[in-house]
Amino acid sequence: MSVTSITSVLTDPGFRLPLGDWVDAGVDGLIATFGGLFDLIRTVLIGGFEAVETVLITPPMWIVALVLAGLAYLAKGWRLALGALIGFLVVQGVDQWGNAMASLALVLVASAIALAIGIPMGIWAASSDRVSAAVRPVLDFMQTMPAFVYLIPVVIIFSVGPVPGLVATIVFALAPGVRFTELGIRQVDQEVVEAGHAFGSTPRRILRQIQLPLALPTIMAGVNQVIMLSLSMVVISGLVGAAGLGRDVVSALSRVNVSLGFEAGLAVVILAMYLDRITSALADRSPVAKALRTTSA
Amino acid sequence: MPALRAEGVYKVFGRRPGEAVRRLQAGASVEDVKPHGTAAVIDASFEVADGETFVVMGLSGSGKSTLIRMLNGLWRPTSGRVMIGDTDISGISGRELRALRQQRVSMVFQHFALLPHRSVLDNAAYPLALQDVDRTERRRRAGEALEMVGLAGWEDHLPSQLSGGMRQRVGLARALAAGTDILLMDEAFSALDPLIRREMQEQLLELQQTLGKTIVFITHDLNEAMHLGDRIAVMREGRIVQIGTSEQILSDPATDYVAQFVADVDKTRVLTAASVMVRPAAVVTTGAGPRVALREMREAQASAAYLVDRDRTLRGVLRDDDVVQALRDGSDSLVDLTRDEVTAVSTETLLMDVFAPSAETPLPVPVVDDRGRLVGVIPRVTLLEAMSRNLADPTTVSADADPAALDGTTTEVSA
Ligand SMILES: Nc1ncnc2c1ncn2[C@@H]1O[C@H](COP(=O)(O)OP(=O)(O)OP(=O)(O)O)[C@@H](O)[C@H]1O
Ligand SMILES: [Mg+2]
């Protein structure tokens, strides 16, 4: 076919590239073939989410708040702990504590799964240029494709509730876990890695004793990013029926309820600050970060 | 049997290394095979005897690092054989190779390559941990190695708390703790300041007298090569152009290239100021007053002192009579008293170019680095000594000239 005939087909007003139809057919095909797998994923995600949510919601508010503030104290110090406690009281004060804990459960489960997939992927990508080149466009796709778009097939596959929200969050938050891990490992001084080889270490031991510890500050920055991105998906999760702050934001939007929207939104911000400060404090506490701060006796 | 042997070793990086080697063997030049790959090492053959220090010298990019990395199998030769004792390491499995590195060959790196998050002791013990030596034994042997390199008492510090010279001592201690007979050192001292570098060279020679390791030492510095090497291999563009003792290389260079390298067999044209300089006896900083300056001179039994800024930038020379006069006049500033009767030379200045400045003054000629900081001095006697010494034996010059080089770590702790 000549170039002119292709262009004439493409510009013909009756012609349309049936990309959407193909995706439609693809989703149907997916459900038909992998139905069992999707059920399994669904069961695992719901199980994980409900377990964490139960732990956070069942005890009285003040016990959970004190424990979370205690973690802040261990990670950073009493200032952060105090700040966290005040923040939690505000959340309780606007009657969003239950929602906040549901959202926290969602963020924790989604981040944990995103990291459980992302960090090993990052390690793999760091070890091979070919894997790295293959993974990169997939990550770009996952991160830049508007979440609403893949939310539709995800809802078709998993129906409404916490699961589609979790899946969409994991997909969206996965990329920095992979990227930062790969970057961190590739940035490790090659001479030190070579020293590992030169003294007869195995690649696995070099990964454990040299590459991962030295990459840890960067990986922790990735962990922080994963958690922050997960939190940013809370509203979208609310849209597809996950309980929590997101659902209140969505209903505030549909009812044009400014005060409810603001209160739920504020609770999201407080959660975000808490999680951000804790993860950055943990990054600063890694042995390498400490060693690099120490100069001259 | 030699401790180490390379037989017709080639290393080509690129898309078709095998083809490149075949063409090189058929007489093609490096340029001819460029489309097939970069020839980093071409037909290298040599033997290193037990207990010998074998230096590989060449300019940047001549293939030294590539060559040394094939000696412990970090990189596999494209063609040829490397023998450690009677083991051909090109043909062995990954597991055997690791065992060989643990037991037979260890390495010291240009930028030290220490684990920044582990203590000095744990760094030195690293090879022993890989050998599954138990913890107490490991700490004992690592401690011994640290003591050998003069780092006793620094065990619990982190590498970042140490000066460059001390870090490389840890690197050396780590290689010694491994307990291997063969030591590979890739530009091990190149990243260090000139005086520290000289101290490390002395220390290595001293250790070598008692330990008798087989050492392959890479350097791009002729002074260092001649100072340390029992034999020297000169590399150029991937090929070894000559192997011999420093005397042979000085007196009978195999090619024009080597001849140029060791120019005119006149070591005042080969040796640099850095290689013979000694520690300045009396140094005063600009902040000090006349009293301090006089005390400094008295202690050093010198009639003059070098005046430097806080960052050791050389400002000039102070004479004792000027300072005494200033003290009588009640003047406080030393800067106004300096005379610029002495011309400073740079560390890279060849000895032949130090004669003129030295003739101008009875004082030792100050040596400054590229930022104008005082790093050493050359007394006239040192210069004359260097010149009068047997021309084919320049290696001992630097050893005798600097008694300070032999004592301990004083300079680096403060550095
Ligand atoms: N991994 C690699 N891939 C491709 N080319 C390489 C690689 N390593 C080295 N080379 C090339 O091989 C040649 C020799 O490099 P090598 O590092 O062995 O030189 P060197 O003598 O150690 O130099 P320097 O003094 O700069 O360390 C150079 O041209 C270099 O560009
Ligand atoms: Mg090199």
Side-chain angles (χ1 to χ4, degrees), chain A residues 264-282:
Chain A
L266 183 69
V268 173
V269 172
I270 289 170
L271 268 190
M273 286 172 65
Y274 173 78
L275 292 170
D276 177 61
R277 300 301 184 278
I278 294 249
T279 45
S280 2
L282 287 179

Side-chain angles (χ1 to χ4, degrees), chain A residues 134-232:
Chain A
V135 162
R136 195 163 308 150
V138 178
L139 295 182
D140 289 338
F141 190 83
M142 283 162 51
Q143 226 180 353
T144 47
M145 190 62 151
F148 281 104
V149 175
Y150 55 76
L151 215 49
I152 306 164
V154 169
V155 168
I156 295 176
I157 294 172
F158 295 108
S159 90
V160 291
V163 177
L166 277 168
V167 171
T169 305
I170 292 167
V171 169
F172 183 64
L174 192 63
V178 183
R179 286 219 172 93
F180 278 69
T181 304
E182 181 185 351
L183 179 75
I185 291 179
R186 284 185 184 265
Q187 272 177 344
V188 170
D189 183 351
Q190 277 315 297
E191 212 183 38
V192 181
V193 175
E194 203 172 41
H197 286 292
F199 287 104
S201 189
T202 58
R204 184 182 289 259
R205 237 170 152 173
I206 289 175
L207 181 68
R208 191 160 46 83
Q209 296 180 328
I210 297 177
Q211 291 172 307
L212 286 180
L214 294 190
L216 194 60
T218 312
I219 296 177
M220 284 307 293
V223 170
N224 177 286
Q225 288 294 303
V226 166
I227 293 179
M228 291 297 110
L229 287 188
S230 301
L231 200 60
S232 73

Side-chain angles (χ1 to χ4, degrees), chain B residues 122-189:
Chain B
D122 285 344
N123 265 289
Y126 177 68
L128 298 170
L130 294 174
Q131 293 168 21
D132 293 324
V133 175
D134 78 69
R135 198 178 142 83
T136 33
E137 174 69 4
R138 188 157 94 202
R139 294 176 74 87
R140 190 182 63 74
R141 277 159 63 180
E144 276 174 13
L146 285 170
E147 200 170 319
M148 261 190 254
V149 300
L151 280 181
W154 292 87
E155 289 84 353
D156 297 329
H157 287 71
L158 287 170
S160 57
Q161 297 171 304
L162 270 51
S163 69
M166 294 167 83
R167 285 185 211 180
Q168 192 56 300
R169 282 168 211 262
V170 180
L172 188 55
R174 174 171 68 177
L176 294 177
T180 62
D181 291 333
I182 302 176
L183 222 59
L184 305 179
M185 303 179 75
D186 186 4
E187 307 240 9
F189 303 152

Side-chain angles (χ1 to χ4, degrees), chain B residues 11-14 34 37-41 56-69 75 110 186-187 190 218-220 235 237-238:
Chain B
K11 181 73 185 181
V12 178
F13 296 103
K34 200 88 206 170
T38 312
V41 173
V56 180
M57 191 186 68
L59 297 177
S60 186
S62 56
K64 309 179 297 289
S65 296
T66 310
L67 180 63
I68 204 171
R69 276 163 180 70
W75 286 344
Q110 179 169 1
D186 186 4
E187 307 240 9
S190 297
I218 302 280
T219 180
H220 58 250
M235 276 188 92
E237 290 170 2

Side-chain angles (χ1 to χ4, degrees), chain A residues 229-294:
Chain A
L229 287 188
S230 301
L231 200 60
S232 73
M233 287 290 282
V234 156
V235 173
I236 291 193
S237 307
L239 199 66
V240 290
L245 299 167
R247 193 143 68 185
D248 271 17
V249 173
V250 172
S251 81
L253 192 65
S254 61
R255 288 187 281 148
V256 203
N257 182 341
V258 177
S259 59
L260 177 64
F262 182 78
E263 286 167 3
L266 183 69
V268 173
V269 172
I270 289 170
L271 268 190
M273 286 172 65
Y274 173 78
L275 292 170
D276 177 61
R277 300 301 184 278
I278 294 249
T279 45
S280 2
L282 287 179
D284 287 344
R285 288 168 60 105
S286 74
V288 171
K290 273 192 203 162
L292 294 182
R293 269 201 306 277
T294 327

Side-chain angles (χ1 to χ4, degrees), chain B residues 201-220:
Chain B
Q201 291 169 2
E202 300 311 321
Q203 184 160 42
L204 185 65
L205 288 173
E206 214 172 289
L207 283 170
Q208 186 57 355
Q209 279 181 353
T210 52
L211 298 177
K213 302 272 183 193
T214 304
I215 299 178
V216 178
F217 192 100
I218 302 280
T219 180
H220 58 250

Side-chain angles (χ1 to χ4, degrees), chain B residues 244-321:
Chain B
T245 61
S246 48
E247 188 174 342
Q248 285 165 348
I249 285 180
L250 274 179
S251 55
D252 186 18
T255 66
D256 287 350
Y257 178 77
V258 180
Q260 239 172 37
F261 225 103
V262 299
D264 291 23
V265 202
D266 175 357
K267 60 187 182 324
T268 63
R269 291 167 187 264
V270 180
L271 301 180
T272 59
S275 69
V276 301
M277 68 188 183
V278 299
R279 219 173 282 290
V283 178
V284 183
T285 45
T286 42
R291 269 174 225 288
V292 177
L294 282 176
R295 193 186 64 220
E296 194 70 37
M297 289 185 224
R298 192 166 57 240
E299 276 173 8
Q301 301 185 3
S303 61
Y306 297 91
L307 185 68
V308 295
D309 281 337
R310 204 164 288 283
D311 64 0
R312 289 189 78 83
T313 308
L314 183 64
R315 296 294 298 269
V317 175
L318 295 168
R319 301 296 295 253
D320 48 2
D321 37 6

